[in-house]
Amino acid sequence: MSRLAANAATLALLPVLAVQGLHVRRSTPRLPGASGPVTGSVAGDGPVFRLLVLGESTVDGVGAESHEEALTGSVAHALARRTGREVAWQAVGKTGANAAAVHDELVDLTEAADVVVIALGVNDTIELHSAPRFRRDLLRLVVALRRRLGPVPVLLAGVPPMGHFPTLPQPLRAVFGLRSAALDAAAASLAALPGVTHAPMPVALFDEDTFAADGFHPGPAGYRVWGGQLAEILAKRSR
């Protein structure tokens, strides 16, 4: 039902959405990705847990000064606290990338991992990709990662519910909200595959204080909330 509603709303409002989308693109501050190394480790005891985070601008660390306080570092620090283990992390992200681009351009940059977190969906939503296409592209990405890394567990971070993005005007916000929800449902359906888990984005991430200056990406506080939620799921799976 949400997919049909999203398609109907998009078609009905297409001229308005085009104008609003252009305005948002021109008026929203363009923040850089995180600076510093894209690999690191968090101290702990016992065997090293290798964490790979792959995806779009949130994995590129937009909204944070460094990867330590962006999504990957936040997951790694929270995971080390919960497990007591050393966590070695790698962030492989590209601002503006959709699921197909991540498959084509980033998979070959990945290193051996004990678990992969994938964070995608905003750019597929903005580009008006259908839910079936997004599911196919995600599935192709998971298959490619496992060909490269072996039967690694995969955690699909939920597609951000764009109906909560403060920088988006109405009705663009409502339409993107419907479309992102449809893509998230498509991603969640992949949890039927062995070793694949889906984690809906936590509602607490959408408090005013969690956004970066652009009103579009998480800031460090948002990344801590999101990273903590993903780490909790990973910690339970690693016991």
Side-chain angles (χ1 to χ4, degrees):
M1 184 66 181
S2 62
R3 190 199 312 173
L4 294 175
N7 290 339
T10 302
L11 289 174
L13 297 168
L14 198 55
V16 176
L17 301 180
V19 172
Q20 288 190 331
L22 183 60
H23 173 73
V24 168
R25 184 179 293 273
R26 288 175 173 173
S27 61
T28 301
R30 295 199 176 189
L31 303 179
S35 62
V38 296
T39 60
S41 64
V42 183
D45 298 321
V48 177
F49 189 92
R50 299 168 300 175
L51 169 70
L52 167 65
V53 185
L54 181 70
E56 54 192 0
S57 58
T58 50
V59 184
D60 195 23
V62 174
E65 290 292 327
S66 70
H67 285 287
E68 287 283 350
E69 61 179 13
L71 180 60
T72 304
S74 295
V75 176
H77 280 275
L79 187 59
R81 287 194 301 272
R82 284 166 171 78
T83 64
R85 294 173 62 179
E86 178 181 351
V87 178
W89 55 264
Q90 180 190 18
V92 183
K94 181 178 179 180
T95 297
N98 58 34
V102 169
H103 171 275
D104 295 343
E105 301 173 26
L106 301 186
V107 169
D108 287 346
L109 303 178
T110 61
E111 299 173 358
D114 297 304
V115 71
V116 179
V117 176
I118 296 175
L120 284 166
V122 169
N123 293 304
D124 288 272
T125 300
I126 292 171
E127 294 166 13
L128 304 182
H129 293 171
S130 70
R133 170 179 171 166
F134 183 60
R135 187 185 188 282
R136 286 195 302 271
D137 288 343
L138 272 183
L139 178 58
R140 194 164 67 111
L141 176 58
V142 171
V143 170
L145 284 167
R146 287 178 165 171
R147 282 177 180 159
R148 178 174 173 83
L149 305 177
V152 61
V154 174
L155 176 59
L156 300 174
V159 177
M162 296 184 70
H164 293 279
F165 283 23
T167 195
L168 298 178
Q170 296 291 8
L172 185 66
R173 187 191 305 181
V175 171
F176 278 179
L178 288 170
R179 297 194 70 90
S180 60
L183 265 57
D184 190 52
S189 72
L190 292 178
L193 298 174
V196 177
T197 306
H198 172 264
M201 183 168 276
V203 175
L205 191 62
F206 296 95
D207 292 341
E208 288 184 13
D209 294 340
T210 64
F211 279 92
D214 62 359
F216 196 86
H217 293 91
Y223 283 127
R224 284 193 297 273
V225 171
W226 196 11
Q229 179 233 17
L230 297 173
E232 182 65 27
I233 295 170
L234 295 176
K236 288 178 180 177
R237 291 188 54 173
S238 65
R239 288 170 187 162

